Amino acid sequence: MTTPKKVCVVGSGNWGSAIARIVGLNVERNSKFHPTVAMWVFEELVNGRKLTEIINAEHENIKYLPGHKLPDNVVAVADLSEAVSHADVLLFVIPHQFIHKVCDTMQGKIKPDAFGMSFIKGVDESPSGLKLISAVIRDKLGISVSVLMGANIANEVAEGKFCETTIGCKDKDQGTLLKELMQTDHFRVTVVEEAEVVEICGALKNIVAVGAGFCDGLGFATFLESCGIADLITTCYGGRNRRVADAFARTGRSLEELEKEMMNGQKLQGPATAAEVHVLLEQKALLDQFPLFNAVYEICFEGRPVTDFISCVQNHPAHL
Ligand SMILES: NC(=O)c1ccc[n+]([C@@H]2O[C@H](COP(=O)([O-])OP(=O)(O)OC[C@H]3O[C@@H](n4cnc5c(N)ncnc54)[C@H](O)[C@@H]3O)[C@@H](O)[C@H]2O)c1
Ligand SMILES: O=P(O)(O)OC[C@H](O)CO
C-alpha cells in the first residue's frame, strides 16, 4: 500500500481558505491522503491577535473567509518552509503578485517528488515575455504543476452552492488523484489535458471582468442587459449558429446542406450577417480590425479551410 499523501495549501486568502475547507473534509474520508492538511498563512495581526492563532483556535479565517468554519484537521502554519516541507501535494492559492517570493522561499525546502496544482489566476510578465504562473512554479521548484480554474466564487463555494470547475493536468493518474482531492457533491470537477488553455482562460477573464465593471460604473449598462453579453454566451453555447458551425467543422459538408438537414426550414443568421458586415468593413477599410468577423466570412463564403480559423486570428496585424 502506498503512503498517504500529505497536502499543503500554500495560501489562506478568500479562495485559499475555501479550498482548504474542501480539502480538509475530503482527506478525512480518503485513505490515499494524510488526514491533516497544512495551510500556509501569511501572518498578520487581526484585532491584535495573530491570524494563525485565531485560525487554529477558532477554526475560522475570520479575515478572509468569515462565517465559514474550517475543518479541525486544517492546521495554519506561519512558517512557509515548515508548512511545505512534508507535503506531497502542494496547492498554490495566492494572489499572483506574490508567486516569485513564495517560490523563492520554498526552494530547497520541498520533497523532490512533490507535485503541485495552481489555483492562481494571472500571468507573469518579464523582459523575456509572458509566462504562465504554473510555469513560474515549475521552473523555480522543478515539480510538475497542474491547474484548477473555474467559474467559482470563494464565498459561494464555501456556502456549498453548486458549481463546476476544471482541472488541467497532463498526467492521467495525477489528474484522477487531484479530482479525488477536490471534488465534492457541490463542487464538480472535470479533468482535461490542455492545462495551458485552462490557465490562460482563468487569467484573461479577469481583464474582461474589470471592463465589465467599468461599463457598469459608467452607466453603460445596455451590454449587460439580456441583449448583450448574456445573449452572446447563450448563442455560443446553445444556439443554432453554433450547432451548424460545429457540424460544418466536424464533417466538412457545406453550410447550405447542413442547414437544410439540421434545421428543418429554419434559417441561420450568422453566415449571412458575416457577409453583410463584411461589405461595410471592406468599404471602410476596417477588415484588419475585425479578424474574427473576417475569418468567419472567409470560411463561410470564400472557401478558406475551417482549420485556418485560429491562425486567422493569430495573424491579426496588431500582433505582428
Ligand atoms: N476569491 C475568489 O473567489 C477566487 C476564486 C477563484 C480563483 N481565485 C484566484 O485565487 C488566487 C488567490 O486568491 P484569494 O482569493 O485566495 O486571495 P485574496 O484575494 O483573498 O488575497 C489575500 C491573501 O494574500 C495574502 N498576502 C498578502 N500579502 C502577501 C504577501 N506579501 N505575500 C504572500 N501573501 C500575501 C493575504 O495574507 C491573504 O491570504 C487569485 O489568483 C484569484 O484570482 C479567487
Ligand atoms: O472575484 P474575482 O473577480 O477575483 O473572481 C473570482 C473568480 O475568479 C471567479 O471565477
Side-chain angles (χ1 to χ4, degrees):
M1 192 175 139
T2 51
T3 323
K5 297 207 179 304
K6 183 127 208 235
V7 182
C8 173
V9 180
V10 180
S12 56
N14 189 220
W15 191 219
S17 302
I19 290 302
R21 201 164 175 271
I22 290 179
V23 169
L25 294 170
N26 277 352
V27 297
E28 268 178 348
R29 47 188 177 220
N30 188 329
S31 60
K32 290 181 189 163
F33 299 103
H34 189 283
T36 35
V37 173
M39 177 173 77
W40 173 63
V41 175
F42 180 76
E43 190 68 285
E44 60 187 292
L45 294 180
V46 179
N47 303 328
R49 292 169 69 198
K50 285 183 176 170
L51 185 55
T52 42
E53 288 174 9
I54 299 173
I55 293 174
N56 288 333
E58 294 167 22
H59 303 290
E60 185 177 332
N61 186 338
I62 61 163
K63 176 159 181 189
Y64 294 106
L65 191 65
H68 298 285
K69 289 287 173 198
L70 293 165
D72 293 1
N73 61 336
V74 172
V75 180
V77 182
D79 184 316
L80 178 56
S81 304
E82 184 192 327
V84 299
S85 61
H86 300 292
D88 303 291
V89 184
L90 294 157
L91 305 179
F92 294 84
V93 204
I94 54 170
H96 77 284
Q97 293 87 334
F98 307 126
I99 194 63
H100 280 278
K101 183 131 181 283
V102 163
C103 287
D104 289 346
T105 310
M106 288 172 64
Q107 269 170 0
K109 310 287 178 8
I110 61 172
K111 289 170 83 167
D113 56 351
F115 60 92
M117 181 153 74
S118 170
F119 298 67
I120 301 168
K121 292 177 174 174
V123 285
D124 183 62
E125 197 268 329
S126 72
S128 56
L130 278 192
K131 209 166 167 179
L132 296 173
I133 299 297
S134 61
V136 173
I137 301 171
R138 198 174 298 124
D139 291 352
K140 284 196 177 258
L141 299 178
I143 58 174
S144 71
V145 185
S146 304
V147 295
L148 182 148
M149 309 274 146
N152 312 132
I153 301 290
N155 292 344
E156 296 181 0
V157 172
E159 279 165 32
K161 288 192 174 156
F162 176 82
C163 67
E164 295 167 306
T165 202
T166 314
I167 287 181
C169 179
K170 297 196 184 304
D171 180 305
K172 233 183 164 67
D173 293 340
Q174 232 175 60
T176 306
L177 191 73
L178 288 167
K179 179 171 179 164
E180 282 185 47
L181 180 61
M182 297 311 311
Q183 181 154 274
T184 71
D185 288 347
H186 306 284
F187 190 64
R188 307 304 292 171
V189 178
T190 301
V191 184
V192 302
E193 276 183 33
E194 290 178 305
E196 294 87 355
V197 181
V198 173
E199 189 169 359
I200 205 70
C201 287
L204 298 184
K205 68 85 187 161
N206 281 334
I207 308 174
V208 181
V210 175
F214 289 159
C215 282
D216 247 1
L218 289 167
F220 302 153
T222 305
F223 282 124
L224 301 175
E225 297 290 343
S226 179
C227 61
I229 306 273
D231 195 15
L232 182 63
I233 293 169
T234 304
T235 194
C236 290
Y237 272 108
R240 298 168 300 177
N241 288 292
R242 195 215 78 89
R243 239 181 320 124
V244 175
D246 178 318
F248 174 79
R250 284 176 200 276
T251 63
R253 293 169 62 198
S254 75
L255 278 173
E256 295 74 23
E257 211 175 80
L258 290 166
E259 183 180 32
K260 209 165 168 191
E261 186 177 300
M262 296 173 69
M263 298 205 16
N264 192 30
Q266 295 181 39
K267 288 282 163 214
L268 284 189
Q269 305 301 295
T273 309
E276 286 138 14
V277 169
H278 188 265
V279 174
L280 177 82
L281 294 178
E282 201 164 35
Q283 277 169 1
K284 301 216 174 257
L286 286 173
L287 280 174
D288 282 353
Q289 292 182 42
F290 292 84
L292 182 73
F293 286 5
N294 196 25
V296 169
Y297 169 78
E298 289 183 353
I299 291 164
C300 291
F301 297 104
E302 294 196 334
R304 183 148 195 173
V306 68
T307 44
D308 279 2
F309 184 62
I310 298 296
S311 65
C312 291
V313 182
Q314 280 170 327
N315 294 328
H316 187 322
H319 304 317
L320 298 177

